[in-house]
Amino acid sequence: MRRLLVMYGAIHVNVLLVSLYLVGWLNGAWLTVLQVMFLALLLWSWERFKIPKRNLSLKERVLWIIGGLGVMVSIALIMSVMMSRSEANQETLVTVQDQIPVLSFTLFLLNASVVEELFYREVLWRILSQPVTQVVLTSFLFTLAHHPSSLFTWGLYGSLGLTLSMVRWQTDCLTSTFVHLSWNGIVFILSLV
């Protein structure tokens, strides 16, 4: 239970660091230093929690990453065509992206991917005993954490959470983390164009 609370708090630390920069309590250098330290702490936690890795070949792991990412991109594209509108969560990210250094925004997305996967698809995952409960509950909580404000965002973040959970169920947390990192990377690159 302690791990659950610590990792839940860690999700908010990632956002807090950027918020402290935005209100002027941290300068760009300190923000970057603290974000790198936070990432190091997350990676240390990964080792400390002894997160199991399945014995997948590199080819299998890459196929799961590409497949999971392909599902996520396909769903996002289909939903965008069906309900073409801008969403609050994405608008907030673009606003923040425009106000902080590119390196800090990149670290923010990197840290978000790692800490969310550690929380939802490892720590919380271990507490839940049944695969269906693991997949459904972690997907639902992941969706809630992204503040869905419309049917579109419920569908988008629900499907993203479900895809990440299915990848986790069939592989391991490392693979779902790489899918999450890839998704955030694509979103970041698309926001630059």
Side-chain angles (χ1 to χ4, degrees):
M1 187 62 145
R2 192 177 87 210
R3 283 183 184 169
L4 185 68
L5 294 174
V6 167
M7 291 314 300
Y8 181 74
I11 290 172
H12 297 287
V13 168
N14 190 39
V15 174
L16 177 65
L17 291 174
V18 170
S19 298
L20 291 174
Y21 173 82
L22 292 174
V23 298
W25 290 8
L26 287 177
N27 64 27
W30 273 109
L31 174 61
T32 302
V33 166
L34 292 173
Q35 287 177 310
V36 169
M37 289 173 58
F38 183 65
L39 179 58
L41 184 61
L42 289 174
L43 297 176
W44 175 80
S45 297
W46 193 289
E47 285 301 313
R48 180 145 167 80
F49 291 166
K50 297 182 179 9
I51 296 174
K53 287 192 311 187
R54 286 212 179 144
N55 192 16
L56 299 171
S57 69
L58 180 61
K59 181 180 176 182
E60 289 172 310
R61 194 172 301 278
V62 168
L63 286 174
W64 274 102
I65 293 167
I66 292 170
L69 188 59
V71 167
M72 291 168 70
V73 168
S74 298
I75 291 169
L77 288 173
I78 290 167
M79 292 187 73
S80 293
V81 168
M82 290 174 46
M83 302 175 188
S84 61
R85 56 181 287 185
S86 180
E87 293 305 323
N89 194 329
Q90 291 307 112
E91 289 175 7
T92 301
L93 279 176
V94 169
T95 301
V96 169
Q97 177 182 349
D98 292 341
Q99 296 179 31
I100 66 174
V102 173
L103 177 59
S104 291
F105 190 74
T106 304
L107 286 167
F108 170 76
L109 292 177
L110 176 65
N111 288 340
S113 301
V114 174
V115 75
E116 287 177 0
E117 291 306 304
L118 274 171
F119 177 72
Y120 294 107
R121 279 163 281 281
E122 189 55 41
V123 176
L124 184 58
W125 193 273
R126 284 186 187 188
I127 292 171
L128 305 169
S129 58
Q130 298 297 318
V132 171
T133 307
Q134 291 169 322
V135 169
V136 171
L137 188 58
T138 60
S139 299
F140 178 72
L141 293 174
F142 175 83
T143 304
L144 281 180
H146 288 83
H147 310 288
S149 58
S150 66
L151 182 59
F152 177 79
T153 50
W154 273 102
L156 179 64
Y157 289 109
S159 61
L160 297 177
L162 188 59
T163 302
L164 290 167
S165 292
M166 292 300 291
V167 169
R168 165 60 176 96
W169 180 40
Q170 293 298 308
T171 60
D172 53 21
C173 189
L174 179 64
T175 307
S176 66
T177 301
F178 278 118
V179 173
H180 199 154
L181 284 166
S182 301
W183 170 259
N184 281 349
I186 287 173
V187 170
F188 175 63
I189 290 167
L190 290 176
S191 73
L192 295 175
V193 291

